[in-house]
Amino acid sequence: MIAAILRWLDERLHLDDLIAPFRHKTVPVHRLTYWYFFGGITLFLFGVQVITGILLLLYYHAGANDAFESVQYIMTKVRYGWLIRSIHSWSANLMILTAFAHMFSVLFLKAYRKPRELTWISGMLLLFLVMGFGFSGYLLPWNTLAFFATKVGTAMVGQVPIVGQPMMIFLRGGPQVTGATLIRFFGFHVAVLPGLVVVLISIHLFLVQRLGMSVPPKIEAEWAENPSARREMKFFPNFMLREMMAWYVTVGVLGALAAIFPWNLGVKADPFGSAPAGIKPEWYFLFMYQTLKVIPSKVWFVDGEVLGIVGCGLAGLLWLLLPFFDSEPPSRPKRWITGLSIFAVMYVAGMSAYGFLAK
Amino acid sequence: MSGDQNTPPGSTRRRAIEYFLGGGILATFASFLYPVLRYVVPPPDVDLGVNEVVAGKVGDLKPNSGAIFRFGSSPGLLILTSDGSYQALSATCTHLGCTVQYRGDLHQVWCPCHNGIYGIDGRNISGPPPKPLTAYDVHLRGDEIVVTLKREA
């Protein structure tokens, strides 16, 4: 029956031609192959976000007066609403985690070098967009933590010299964080960012497909020395089935987290209340937050805040353009980039831990 | 138990594993689908036990006119007839659910969507409506016009 339908479609659309490249695609097999799974897991979690996000849209009301109440309604009245929302929140956090893991694995396996510079750039832009999703989605329940996080986050944008103020007003929909900000963030979160992400994911996947999988230089060297050690598996179905097992495990982790630790809602935002003590951003912004906290208010004659934000921006730009600073294969990767990568992991991990523990 | 490592395709053992795998995948999808199906059905309305509302005040309506009032979550139609008596009906047309109105010129209740006509008592007279409009009890409490569901006889 299914075979007959497939044959009917194939006779008309010649689907075999479309699948052919996937049949030829192979994945190198070596001791670091498991790092190849993280991009796929991130993509899977994005799919979970799309589905649960659409489900949340069935009951969510954007607007300062009833956003909080509508999420409360989802959490308490709608059957399995707590589960859907908790999965959306947990999946968002796991997606950022796996996106970072993917980025650092590409960095350490030297997969960003020629000819994959554009794959790296599209991936970095996706990472920025994912963080934008996190930032905009965080405000939507309109609770106190989200309100102040948005206030601080958008104020930081306002510190950027020259373009900062207009950008902040654009983001906030006015000089202050109000219901207008909520409506804007809702629009970014459910329309603008998804559109951009779909385009970038298409480009990213096309490039991955076109350029094939990268083999880390060290393993390439080992294989050159001992050609009989070279191993690969077919992408379809061998790698795909393994990837799907990884997705299955991810679903298990996600379901367990959502069921055991349902995401809480907090207290409705009061724009005229004080910020609560011990307020902190989400964990994935902690390293930037802590960096800004430790910079003194004046460094020589520059405002500490401005220095921190411009510094973070330049660091982000350097990261985006990193492939262009490294050498081209087959020459050895530059050592200072490896050193910088190690420093970056330690800095992000260290500052996040410091931010988490600091009062 | 046979010690055969290379079980050929189609053997019982292989088929059993395929059933386990397929069943596991199906069960997984069912466990996704069940909460989602429950989720998309909205929880029941919390407007339980509305069987009496104040539809208006005496003097709000001119004789031979009607007005819509809220009866729980659905609209009702209050009519003051030319002879000065009140009549209350469900305002939801029994044909396809449009909200009906009182036509003073016809002395009848009219549904604009498909030209359905009801009598003042709710009887379906002409046009597509298949059933009469539900009539409510009306009584006065001071100057308030109180509409209640008719008691089941």
Side-chain angles (χ1 to χ4, degrees):
Chain A
M1 172 69 179
I2 294 172
I5 294 173
L6 283 179
R7 208 166 40 244
W8 189 93
L9 283 170
D10 195 48
E11 270 174 23
R12 283 150 185 87
L13 305 172
H14 306 291
L15 293 177
D16 261 351
D17 297 353
L18 283 178
I19 305 169
F22 291 95
R23 284 200 208 287
H24 297 306
K25 185 177 174 172
T26 58
V27 176
V29 179
H30 49 76
R31 60 180 180 274
L32 297 168
T33 295
Y34 59 90
W35 285 110
Y36 295 141
F37 288 110
F38 279 90
I41 296 175
T42 310
L43 182 64
F44 172 74
L45 289 169
F46 180 72
V48 172
Q49 289 305 87
V50 172
I51 293 168
T52 52
I54 289 171
L55 288 173
L56 290 173
L57 277 177
L58 297 182
Y59 297 103
Y60 178 74
H61 293 239
N65 289 328
D66 32 70
F68 182 84
E69 283 77 3
S70 71
V71 179
Q72 206 168 36
Y73 179 76
I74 292 171
M75 296 289 285
T76 57
K77 292 282 184 333
V78 181
R79 281 164 295 215
Y80 293 101
W82 62 272
L83 184 64
I84 303 287
R85 176 175 179 248
S86 297
I87 288 182
H88 194 72
S89 304
W90 274 112
S91 172
N93 281 274
L94 288 184
M95 178 168 71
I96 288 173
L97 193 68
T98 56
F100 267 101
H102 182 50
M103 185 271 282
F104 278 118
S105 73
V106 166
L107 191 66
F108 284 111
L109 302 184
K110 305 288 171 193
Y112 56 87
R113 298 199 305 160
K114 189 188 171 187
R116 298 186 176 80
E117 297 95 328
L118 291 175
T119 321
W120 169 266
I121 289 178
S122 60
M124 278 303 293
L125 294 178
L126 279 167
L127 184 65
F128 294 146
L129 285 180
V130 162
M131 292 174 86
F133 264 116
F135 187 63
S136 58
Y138 194 57
L139 180 65
L140 300 187
W142 198 246
N143 58 29
T144 308
L145 282 179
F147 177 79
F148 285 104
T150 307
K151 228 175 150 114
V152 173
T154 49
M156 277 167 55
V157 174
Q159 297 281 335
V160 177
I162 309 164
V163 293
Q165 280 298 318
M167 266 168 68
M168 184 188 83
I169 291 189
F170 166 72
L171 284 174
R172 287 182 173 179
Q176 294 294 329
V177 174
T178 60
T181 320
L182 178 60
I183 301 282
R184 278 188 182 217
F185 274 40
F186 178 64
F188 296 149
H189 193 78
V190 306
V192 179
L193 293 174
L196 291 173
V197 160
V198 166
V199 172
L200 275 166
I201 287 178
S202 311
I203 294 173
H204 196 69
L205 291 182
F206 167 76
L207 289 169
V208 171
Q209 185 59 41
R210 184 84 188 146
L211 300 172
M213 306 299 285
S214 131
V215 178
K218 212 174 223 170
I219 287 172
E220 191 66 70
E222 287 171 21
W223 283 356
E225 220 165 86
N226 177 16
S228 64
R230 187 180 290 270
R231 297 258 183 286
E232 48 189 28
M233 68 171 116
K234 283 189 161 174
F235 176 76
F236 189 84
N238 302 42
F239 186 79
M240 198 60 218
L241 284 174
R242 284 166 176 77
E243 178 78 55
M244 279 160 83
M245 281 311 293
W247 293 357
Y248 203 80
V249 171
T250 309
V251 166
V253 170
L254 196 55
L257 285 171
I260 301 169
F261 308 105
W263 212 261
N264 71 9
L265 179 55
V267 183
K268 186 174 178 173
D270 174 8
F272 295 99
S274 303
I279 185 165
K280 274 173 199 169
E282 285 288 82
W283 61 270
Y284 41 90
F285 290 121
L286 262 181
F287 72 98
M288 283 188 265
Y289 162 86
Q290 195 60 24
T291 306
L292 293 177
K293 241 168 95 171
V294 296
I295 297 175
S297 65
K298 276 273 181 213
V299 181
W300 194 26
F301 65 92
V302 191
D303 257 7
E305 218 50 21
V306 176
L307 188 76
I309 285 152
V310 172
C312 280
L314 288 178
L317 190 66
L318 170 73
W319 225 241
L320 180 70
L321 301 176
L322 203 65
F324 301 104
F325 293 101
D326 211 331
S327 59
E328 288 181 7
S331 56
R332 285 169 57 92
K334 288 195 176 142
R335 299 191 83 140
W336 69 266
I337 290 193
T338 310
L340 188 67
S341 310
I342 295 169
F343 173 75
V345 175
M346 281 169 42
Y347 185 84
V348 170
M351 273 309 207
S352 301
Y354 182 21
F356 181 75
L357 295 172
K359 288 256 155 55
Chain B
M1 288 251 293
S2 76
D4 186 7
Q5 294 291 310
N6 306 312
T7 330
S11 76
T12 334
R13 207 192 292 181
R14 187 167 185 147
R15 215 175 312 146
I17 287 175
E18 278 172 2
Y19 279 131
F20 275 125
L21 191 65
I25 292 170
L26 276 182
T28 305
F29 277 101
S31 77
F32 298 161
L33 205 59
Y34 177 74
V36 169
L37 288 179
R38 296 279 286 171
Y39 176 90
V40 296
V41 176
D45 261 346
V46 255
D47 99 312
L48 300 164
V50 178
N51 53 14
E52 179 180 299
V53 294
V54 175
K57 285 210 162 89
V58 173
D60 285 354
L61 276 179
K62 283 190 279 250
N64 193 27
S65 71
I68 298 291
F69 63 93
R70 290 177 67 113
F71 197 89
S73 57
S74 52
L77 176 65
L78 181 69
I79 303 164
L80 180 55
T81 56
S82 331
D83 57 14
S85 65
Y86 284 104
Q87 174 74 29
L89 303 169
S90 157
T92 306
C93 181
T94 55
H95 176 220
L96 287 171
C98 284
T99 302
V100 298
Q101 54 185 268
Y102 180 70
R103 284 273 296 267
D105 54 339
L106 301 173
H107 299 279
Q108 278 170 332
V109 176
W110 176 61
C111 179
C113 291
H114 303 95
N115 202 26
I117 304 276
Y118 301 88
I120 289 174
D121 56 355
R123 212 163 25 89
N124 45 326
I125 294 175
S126 71
K131 282 187 297 190
L133 296 170
T134 310
Y136 301 134
D137 281 333
V138 187
H139 59 269
L140 300 179
R141 190 192 290 148
D143 64 342
E144 287 179 337
I145 304 162
V146 180
V147 172
T148 50
L149 285 179
K150 272 201 200 300
R151 294 257 167 75
E152 300 287 327

